Amino acid sequence: MITRPRRTEAAAKPSGRVPVDLVATGLRVAYERDVEILRGVEITAAARRISLVIGPNGAGKSTFLKAVAGLAPVTGGLVTLGGVDITRWRPRDLLAHGVALVPQNGTLFPAMTVRENLQMGGWLRRREKAWLGESIEAVVNRFNLPRHLVDRRAGDLSGGQQKLVEIMRSMIMTPTTLLLDEPTAGLSPKMASQVYEQIAALPGDLGVTVLLVDQNVRSSLAISDDVYVLAMGLNNDRGTARDITERLGEITAGWLRQGVSGAVKS
Amino acid sequence: MRRPKSSPKSLLDMQTAVQTLILGTAIGGVYALMGVGLNLIFGVMRVANFAHGALYMIGGYAAYYLTLATGAPMPVAVIGAMVVGGCVGYFVNAILLRPVYRSRLERPSEFTLIVTFALSLMATSAAAVFLTPNYRKFEGMWPDTITLFGFVSMSGDRAVAFVTALILLCALLWLVHFTDLGRGWRALTQNRMGADIVGVDVFRLANLAFATSGALAAAAGAVLVPLYLAYPTMGESVIVKSFVIVVLGGLGSIAGSLVGGFLLGWAEALGSVYIGSGYTDIYGLVIMLVVLLFLPRGLFGISEREV
Amino acid sequence: MVKNIIEPVCANRRKFLAGTALVLATSWSGLRPAAAEDKAPVVLGFATGLSGAQAQYGRDNVKIGELFAEQMNSQGGIDGRKVSVVSGDTQDQPDIAISLARRLIREDGATALFGHGGSGLTLALSQALKSTKVPLLLSYIWGNSNTGPSLPSVYRIGPFNAYVATLMAKYLKQSPYKNIVILAEDTAYGTDFAKDLSGKVDAGLKVETIPFQAKIQDLSPVLGKLASGTQPDAIIVAGNYQIIYSLQNQIPAAGLKSQIIGAWDYPTTPEFWETAGKNGVGVIYATFTGPSVKLTATGEAFRASYAAKFGRDPLFYEYFLWDCLNALRKAVTDSKSVDPAVLTETLAKVSFEGTTGSIHFNQEEGAWNQALSGTLFMKQYTEVKQTDAAAKVVAEIAP
């Protein structure tokens, strides 16, 4: 059964919140009439697991994540969180219900210090200063951020550090679900592996359900549990990370063929 | 008396220079107040608010009629004007601009520009029709002429306007840098998407930014009525100056507008005294162009990527 | 930069009506011949500032035009023609003024134009309308170049810069002031006036012109510099906008002890005392109304009807507007025509009793199409909220 709760800040307190599945059923997105980017995508991000969405360029991976986060115009289908309909919810309401988003482009506040950025992460509970302080402290410790960086301007940090701070900021509200879009885009391989290391630990350490969209297929497969392959706005394949890793050559070859012929068969 | 041995002429020249700078500072304080308000809205909402001058005018008239109707002392009139300006600013955004943001327009900022421009025209015309185009004035708190350092002479009302501006500027800086609301505004200024995903309620903060900006503009208009009078087109000259200040200091930078306001005050004062009295408005524009030539983002502008 | 929006709205409505007229063309054209049997009416056109800083004067001008039309119509019109008034707002912008005036002529059939506007705006307007030959009668525009042989349809009744400057130079010669500053706004009015006056004062006087931007709000730095040097004995204020009302306060606040002299009688405007407060006491100003000005019967009749309508006596330049309206009446009755070219020619020859004396138009170098009249009075306020009538006459300068 699907229920529609109130979407207010009152829901922001995560007391007793347990990780639940995030399910997209028949999700459709069209920015313009008749030009559908997603044509009925079915993806389940199971609780406390890392679900990875991969696919060729233009498959609709990022659009899918945006649609779940309420940033793309959903024209059909449902997104539910533990049975609750959260379709078309704005990021603010999603966050209040435990779903955090880290978009692909940098979203830090460059002129603020890292600490202020983390404080902004707790915006919905900004009046609870004591709680916020503790939460920031916990996140800084959890992610082993060097102390001297905490009072540095966020804009002065390296790209990898900025991405880590963004993920840290999304953890301040102790979400149950984290949506990550291309977290290592533009990072050096060394920085990328640090970021993946942190992501990999999220389900185990913090009980977070992770839905990851990534171009960096090999590295992201290494930390994922379930994998969905999208092509031309539709589900193309799915399996466990091990399963997909084994068939990866075949799958990417398929993407190449598709790029040539433009045909889709699922 | 510690009159130096140097020739009286050079002493006089020194005094003129100091006096000009002080008068420029006094004018610059109120300019800064106008500039920061305009820039707050630009930073938070990316809206070039052409109605900013109208809010200045509304503040002037609100203070005038409050004084006229209730005989309230000037501080009360100024606070009253701020309340009126704040409410007008709030509702302009909440009622007129909000539909523009909500609709999926290609370029909402261009529509908001047109809306605010139309509003400012309407306000000016309405004032001319309903309040008559006559010049109005109420007696300031301190109409006497005061003398600073024995040679700088100015109206006490000018000092009152400057001190009021300074107090309000400090209050705004505190609000922006030491409160949650201010942090939210800065977040919106620096990264709109970032503010969105941490759960900032954009509309609510925009309403409050408009209210704050409106209150500041109204305060500027109110404290200047004893000096510059109230009349329907009073906002015309300050709106241009406010935009110069915003560009000079850098889009979205409150500190930049503060510095920009004083720079404009000095440029105008020094320019009209030492270059030519007939081109006052040009000095600010020249300074702006020079700054933009070397610092395209203004003095304290946030870079395009960061914005 | 902020413009009035009422006019464009009206313009749209006019377009809409024009469209409706096209649709209904046949039925409307059937109605027209009936009206054409009457004599063509006299239409008084007022292209004037109805919004912005000087709107009050513009509106009063239109009301005087309406008063004139009422009186004429109650006497059976001018030359048996009905008299009506059409008006529009120039928004103090030359381009808007020109298109407005063209519309008043073409669509509303204005016979002649009257109006109150800046001298620069009026000059642009006069040049743009030259080919229409529609008479333009100026009553209160001081620019020297606003009339001249190259603008045959433009006539002026009332003072102008060179005339006022000549009289004021005479005054300054007999005054105690030796060291004088003219604060002149950067319009044709201010610049011309300052130039004319500096050119006409005696060699013994020191005159310095300090220009300023017409719509500036604050002159304190410039005044401060003036105060720190050798202070001038008198400061002559030649401007039109907000600043001239603020100067009564800004001048003493800068530490200046100089006598303030208004180049025109802005101290008689309703807002003077509200804006100047006690600093208005002592201000001297130039005006053309004074105790020795005797109104003619025409002038008395105008004053009485004006007072009945407005609740106060006319300002001095409003007498000149009335004279302009009468000049048109005389031209229409003399020529029995409302053809613009005929009226322009006739106006050059009219002679009639004006409000303060007999009026005809000179055609001399420097005073073309110009009715020269008026004694300059220099008046001084001696107490707060004094009226023009009660002000002390400091000097009376006959032409």
Side-chain angles (χ1 to χ4, degrees), chain B residues 19 121 137 153 158 228 277 281, chain C residues 3 211 213 218 224 242 253:
Chain B
Q19 167 179 277
L121 300 183
K137 186 194 161 189
S153 171
R158 190 178 292 279
Y228 298 166
S277 58
D281 287 344
Chain C
K3 292 175 192 156
Q213 288 184 300
D218 200 334
Q242 169 271 345

Side-chain angles (χ1 to χ4, degrees), chain A residues 90 92 106 109 111 116 129, chain B residues 180 183 186 190-191 196 199:
Chain A
R90 300 284 307 159
R92 173 182 164 79
F109 308 117
E116 279 183 302
K129 300 289 177 210
Chain B
D180 284 329
R183 191 181 297 120
R186 279 185 292 141
Q190 293 173 31
N191 196 313
D196 224 3

Side-chain angles (χ1 to χ4, degrees), chain C residues 356-367:
Chain C
T356 55
S358 164
I359 286 180
H360 71 277
F361 292 102
N362 280 28
Q363 270 83 33
E364 308 167 348
E365 182 63 33

Side-chain angles (χ1 to χ4, degrees), chain C residues 80-283:
Chain C
R81 298 161 193 273
K82 266 187 77 80
V83 182
S84 61
V85 174
V86 292
S87 64
D89 182 10
T90 61
Q91 299 173 32
D92 297 334
Q93 313 247 358
D95 52 332
I96 295 171
I98 289 167
S99 62
L100 167 71
R102 288 205 172 117
R103 215 161 58 222
L104 292 180
I105 293 169
R106 207 181 303 135
E107 292 179 26
D108 300 316
T111 314
L113 290 177
F114 303 84
H116 182 104
S119 41
L121 179 147
T122 307
L123 187 59
L125 185 66
S126 315
Q127 279 157 353
L129 298 181
K130 199 172 162 182
S131 62
T132 66
K133 297 200 167 61
V134 171
L136 185 60
L137 290 133
L138 313 179
S139 50
Y140 198 45
I141 288 158
W142 283 23
N144 290 336
S145 48
N146 282 110
T147 60
S150 66
L151 296 169
S153 300
V154 184
Y155 288 83
R156 173 162 52 195
I157 300 174
F160 57 107
N161 271 335
Y163 180 74
V164 179
T166 307
L167 298 183
M168 199 176 276
K170 278 193 197 175
Y171 159 69
L172 290 176
K173 187 181 177 186
Q174 68 179 60
S175 78
Y177 314 122
K178 300 293 164 229
N179 177 10
I180 294 154
V181 161
I182 308 172
L183 282 179
E185 70 174 25
D186 59 353
T187 59
Y189 157 65
T191 314
D192 276 2
F193 178 80
K195 210 165 75 203
D196 287 339
L197 184 57
S198 344
K200 280 170 175 141
V201 291
D202 272 27
L205 293 184
K206 180 171 171 279
V207 177
E208 186 195 354
T209 299
I210 297 182
F212 65 87
Q213 288 184 300
K215 295 194 178 177
I216 198 173
Q217 293 191 310
D218 200 334
L219 279 173
S220 59
V222 174
L223 296 171
K225 184 196 176 195
L226 206 54
S228 64
T230 312
Q231 291 207 358
D233 303 323
I235 295 177
I236 298 176
V237 177
N240 274 299
Y241 297 93
Q242 169 271 345
I243 186 71
I244 62 174
Y245 294 94
S246 298
L247 278 175
Q248 276 66 238
N249 297 315
Q250 286 190 14
I251 287 172
L256 283 162
K257 309 269 185 287
S258 320
Q259 170 66 47
I260 298 174
I261 300 177
W264 61 284
D265 52 358
Y266 69 85
T268 64
T269 54
E271 53 251 80
F272 178 79
W273 284 112
E274 179 172 333
T275 55
K278 62 177 170 33
N279 287 333
V281 177
V283 167

Side-chain angles (χ1 to χ4, degrees), chain B residues 17-32:
Chain B
V18 171
Q19 167 179 277
T20 306
L21 272 174
I22 290 176
L23 289 170
T25 308
I27 298 169
V30 186
Y31 283 176

